[in-house]
Amino acid sequence: QVQLVESGGGSVQSGGSLRLSCAASTPAYFSMGWFRQAPGKEREGIAGIETKGYTTYAESVKGRFTISRDNTKNTLYLQMNSLKPEDTAIYYCAAWPGSAELFRSPRDASEFGYVGQGTQVTVSS
């Protein structure tokens, strides 16, 4: 059974950092990524990574967030620095076949792949 289990969420002050982890049982050749959804807003793709390390980011997080994966542990990470109140959301780990760029379309990535249950990140000002 495919599972994606996120951890590492929590509350932090503006300017702080958090590191999210996602333990996955998806095929190793799948691209992986992170989505987020704030209350009252659509789910937003924020980063994607392919098996060989190619990474891609949404403009809203570029330069502040870093996505990485450990293929030996089948674990995905998201290092979040310089956090802002607008980063407050539920963060979801996802995995799908094909290009990492598909993170820009969470609906399509979810349809063809898998999404975890999410972890809450709250940034206070």
Side-chain angles (χ1 to χ4, degrees):
Q1 184 177 358
V2 172
Q3 280 191 313
L4 295 165
V5 181
E6 302 95 338
S7 62
S11 297
V12 65
Q13 289 193 326
S14 182
S17 298
L18 281 174
R19 188 192 195 205
L20 305 183
S21 299
C22 173
S25 61
T26 49
Y29 68 87
F30 272 28
S31 290
M32 300 187 76
W34 293 94
F35 308 147
R36 68 184 179 186
Q37 189 164 16
K41 294 189 176 181
E42 289 192 0
R43 191 166 292 187
E44 171 192 19
I46 58 174
I49 185 169
E50 295 179 356
T51 300
K52 292 187 177 181
Y54 168 76
T55 59
T56 180
Y57 296 91
E59 286 299 319
S60 59
V61 305
K62 193 177 292 185
R64 299 188 298 124
F65 292 9
T66 302
I67 189 171
S68 61
R69 63 190 291 174
D70 184 335
N71 293 327
T72 63
K73 298 179 180 179
N74 215 5
T75 301
L76 179 71
Y77 302 99
L78 185 69
Q79 178 66 44
M80 304 185 293
N81 298 329
S82 302
L83 282 161
K84 306 174 182 180
E86 52 263 43
D87 293 318
T88 295
I90 299 174
Y91 283 68
Y92 299 90
C93 168
W96 60 87
S99 170
E101 294 290 342
L102 196 59
F103 87 91
R104 301 181 190 278
S105 178
R107 180 173 297 181
D108 289 339
S110 301
E111 179 178 351
F112 295 114
Y114 305 91
V115 184
Q117 293 299 307
T119 185
Q120 177 71 46
V121 172
T122 303
V123 185
S124 57
S125 57

